[in-house]
Amino acid sequence: MSTSPKHRPLRGVRRTVGAAGIAVCLGVIGASPAPAAPSGTAPAHHGPGSLVLVGGGLKDDNTQVYGEIIRRAGGPGRARIGVLTAASVPASQDPDAGDPEKCSNSECNGAYYAGLFRRHGAVDAQWIPVDLDHVANADSDAVVSQIDSMTGFFFGGGDQYRYVTSLLHGDRHTDSKVLAAIRAKLADGAVVSGSSAGAQIASGPDMVTGGDSYPALRDGSRPGYFDDPTVLGYLPRGGFGFLRSGLLDTHTGTTGREGRALRLAADTGHDLVYALDEDTALVVDRPGGRHERVGVIGSQGVSVLNLSAAHEGQGHAGWHLHNARYSYLTSGDSYDPRTGTVTTPGKHRIAPASYGPVPPNTDVFYSPDNAVGTPYSLRTTARALAASTHRTATATTYESGPRFAVTLTEPRGFRPLSGDGTTPQTLLDLRMDIDPCADTD
């Protein structure tokens, strides 16, 4: 459980967004190149390479995301993708390892992704043979040579802690030779991509290791990795540190993880969270550099949770968080984490069209205990508010003891942005407050 003092101001690892929140421009940001930093094994990345981080559930036919990875790796006919799947169970733990139709282990998953990349236009895609059955390969010169021949990399899903145990050196948390070689390739301009755990492992300090939103709000976070998947756990030393301008979370809308992301950021003193939806990628140019920019592509969106002006505390009824900011970015949008500026090419502000109340929502974080719950629950309420003439909407958690109320409030002059002229898509800078409330059942 968190032992944070009451009303502790959030101490950001670095101030990424000013207290004024997110500004919006309707043009396209231009950025001058950042100088390349020396390659090496330092956990922070400062260089001209790029990241394509997917929130999980990447569909095989998502040509936009696969195409972006291949384009950044040199383009069709030139891209050479190294596939890492150490987050999967190794073949020795897969009872179907010998059946290519049923297998689900690191080697057969690596072959599957390699085939997908070749079908999407890569000239070559190869499994990088590092997993819990082949930990020694992480320091193999032959595997490093394989890494050096690649122009891009893809980390598959599973459990991000397996990447920690297979590609980092134990308690020292230092790079294996293979990870150092990937880091050097990134600094030299390669693309590093991943989905689900493969995106999560790009995190810097305080990488999430598990947890559900309601227990997180109720009990807080704990450092470590836990067998109980509902416990909000995190690794203080983080993952590979490719992206450090904010915390990362994945599968956000489909598992209602906004609550756990906010609680982890508050407990660990981060100002910013990128909460990625499925089949959607956060594209990061010049990660770690002064000119870092992030963009969104794919079928859903990315929640940008800003806690730079928020305050939190623990009262008799439970934990609360006030004055956080919620923005939801969709395909084509881009964001500058240093200035908080958003660009939304092709989208325009629209006026509210509904005069009725915002529909009630009694499961704002899509509880796993609610058999009739619906995914993307918080986003649904936020978009319903944006479409109405009301300025405030409140939704609650499914669980009680205590129940938590989430209140969204539109800032002065708020208008959603839309690409079709009628449907709210991109939402910027809604105030979000979370409070324990009296149970009604």
Side-chain angles (χ1 to χ4, degrees):
M1 180 180 294
S2 171
T3 57
S4 303
K6 294 173 70 174
H7 302 295
R8 173 180 62 82
L10 296 173
R11 43 164 183 75
V13 170
R14 61 189 280 267
R15 292 289 172 181
T16 56
V17 183
I22 290 181
V24 61
C25 300
L26 299 181
V28 178
I29 292 178
S32 55
S39 61
T41 60
H45 172 73
H46 300 277
S50 59
L51 309 172
V52 180
L53 307 176
V54 184
L58 180 58
K59 296 178 180 178
D60 292 356
D61 62 354
N62 191 327
T63 57
Q64 187 181 25
V65 171
Y66 280 109
E68 187 70 15
I69 297 169
I70 289 169
R71 183 182 71 80
R72 289 167 177 266
R78 298 183 63 186
R80 298 173 57 85
I81 307 296
V83 177
L84 295 102
T85 51
S88 301
V89 297
S92 64
Q93 297 178 24
D94 180 6
D96 297 313
D99 186 343
E101 298 299 320
K102 296 181 180 180
C103 65
S104 181
N105 61 69
S106 53
E107 186 170 0
C108 70
N109 290 347
Y112 177 79
Y113 277 119
L116 270 178
F117 275 103
R118 286 192 292 269
R119 291 202 299 274
H120 280 282
V123 68
D124 189 21
Q126 303 175 14
W127 180 55
I128 307 298
V130 177
D131 61 11
L132 294 184
D133 280 349
H134 306 91
V135 173
N137 281 355
D139 286 301
S140 161
D141 290 337
V143 179
V144 168
S145 294
Q146 185 185 14
I147 294 294
D148 288 341
S149 71
M150 300 291 117
T151 60
F153 303 93
F154 179 83
F155 288 82
D159 185 337
Q160 58 264 30
Y161 196 66
R162 294 191 185 110
Y163 282 128
V164 173
T165 55
S166 59
L167 285 163
L168 287 165
H169 289 145
D171 292 340
R172 291 177 291 161
H173 211 76
T174 54
D175 287 358
S176 63
K177 288 183 178 181
V178 164
L179 181 55
I182 293 171
R183 199 181 300 280
K185 294 288 287 188
L186 176 61
D188 287 339
V191 59
V192 171
S193 60
S195 181
S196 188
Q200 193 71 69
I201 195 61
S203 299
D206 306 317
M207 179 185 72
V208 67
T209 58
D212 290 337
S213 279
Y214 179 78
L217 296 178
R218 183 191 62 200
D219 302 329
S221 60
R222 296 163 57 188
Y225 179 89
F226 302 95
D227 291 335
D228 182 349
T230 69
V231 173
L232 178 56
Y234 67 97
L235 294 185
R237 299 184 74 173
F240 297 160
F242 297 145
L243 179 66
R244 301 168 72 90
S245 59
L247 293 179
L248 280 167
D249 212 338
T250 57
H251 300 280
T252 300
T254 51
T255 49
R257 286 178 172 172
E258 297 94 343
R260 83 170 191 180
L262 286 162
R263 185 67 200 255
L264 180 59
D267 284 358
T268 56
H270 288 264
D271 283 351
L272 192 67
V273 184
Y274 304 111
L276 284 55
D277 281 340
E278 291 188 353
D279 200 40
T280 303
L282 185 77
V283 180
V284 187
D285 286 301
R286 304 176 184 90
R290 184 170 179 270
H291 298 287
E292 178 179 301
R293 299 289 187 276
V294 305
V296 178
I297 58 173
S299 61
Q300 300 296 332
V302 172
S303 298
V304 178
L305 307 174
N306 172 12
L307 289 81
S308 63
H311 53 94
E312 54 98 10
Q314 187 80 33
H316 293 298
W319 182 81
H320 66 259
L321 177 71
H322 293 160
N323 202 35
R325 301 289 164 160
Y326 169 86
S327 295
Y328 190 78
L329 308 184
T330 53
S331 194
D333 296 342
S334 62
Y335 173 68
D336 182 340
R338 187 172 60 89
T339 65
T341 303
V342 174
T343 61
T344 59
K347 297 188 180 77
H348 305 280
R349 297 178 186 272
I350 59 173
S354 171
Y355 293 90
V358 176
N361 183 349
T362 57
D363 187 9
V364 66
F365 297 126
Y366 186 31
S367 170
D369 296 329
N370 184 5
V372 296
T374 56
Y376 299 101
S377 182
L378 174 64
R379 184 189 72 179
T380 297
T381 291
R383 283 181 166 171
L385 174 62
S388 79
T389 56
H390 293 254
R391 292 195 60 237
T392 299
T394 297
T396 61
T397 57
Y398 177 76
E399 300 90 345
S400 59
R403 194 178 307 279
F404 288 91
V406 178
T407 301
L408 298 173
T409 304
E410 295 177 352
R412 187 181 301 274
F414 173 85
R415 287 288 186 271
L417 293 124
S418 174
D420 61 17
T422 58
T423 308
Q425 294 169 340
T426 294
L427 311 174
L428 300 181
D429 217 28
L430 291 170
R431 173 173 171 151
M432 179 185 288
D433 298 303
I434 301 177
D435 290 282
C437 58
D439 295 337
T440 57
D441 37 71

